[in-house]
Amino acid sequence: MIRFLWAKKLSAADIHRELCAVYGPNIMSEGVVRQWVRFFKDGRTNIHDESRSGRPSVVSADLIKEIDEKIRLLRNFTISQLSEHFPNISRTVLYETVKEKLGYRNFCAR
């Protein structure tokens, strides 16, 4: 929408007003609209976000398979016990892997 309205020669403030009228006041700030207008003025044609640098994921398909095999061996396990076997993975990432990626859940609570 921003690119379309900018091509119609509307100012950033007018574009922001149009967006708020159609999508509501919480769609995006006027500063973000100004930033996108600046991008388009500088010749940017791609509307998708550019890739960003960041920490790569520690969890790979091989590691998930290894965690699953260890769970099947231990059967009654805790995240603390599992973290002793995988010291290079934080407990949070290990918990998310077990619960979300592998789909395990608690069967009984003590």
Side-chain angles (χ1 to χ4, degrees):
M1 284 298 297
I2 296 171
R3 186 174 176 190
F4 173 75
L5 293 172
W6 175 77
K8 290 180 74 172
K9 306 289 186 216
L10 268 67
S11 68
D14 291 336
I15 293 172
H16 183 257
R17 269 189 238 111
E18 288 286 330
L19 289 173
C20 288
V22 174
Y23 297 108
N26 295 327
I27 183 69
M28 69 175 57
S29 67
E30 189 173 343
V32 174
V33 173
R34 288 183 189 282
Q35 182 181 18
W36 276 102
V37 168
R38 204 172 321 116
F39 288 154
F40 295 137
K41 281 182 183 176
D42 293 341
R44 181 175 176 170
T45 57
N46 185 5
I47 59 169
H48 300 287
D49 287 337
E50 296 172 350
S51 61
R52 300 175 190 156
S53 64
R55 176 180 275 182
S57 177
V58 179
V59 181
S60 65
D62 293 333
L63 188 60
I64 291 174
K65 184 179 177 184
E66 202 174 323
I67 291 170
D68 191 33
E69 290 172 359
K70 187 59 77 174
I71 290 171
R72 291 177 188 272
L73 279 175
L74 295 176
R75 299 301 266 171
N76 296 331
F77 69 93
T78 62
I79 296 296
S80 297
Q81 291 170 339
L82 209 54
S83 69
E84 292 172 5
H85 295 283
F86 300 98
N88 56 335
I89 304 174
S90 71
R91 289 176 190 235
T92 305
V93 172
L94 195 57
Y95 177 80
E96 289 172 356
T97 303
V98 170
K99 294 288 269 188
E100 295 170 10
K101 293 187 177 162
L102 292 173
Y104 287 104
R105 59 184 174 85
N106 294 347
F107 285 113
C108 65
R110 293 183 182 170

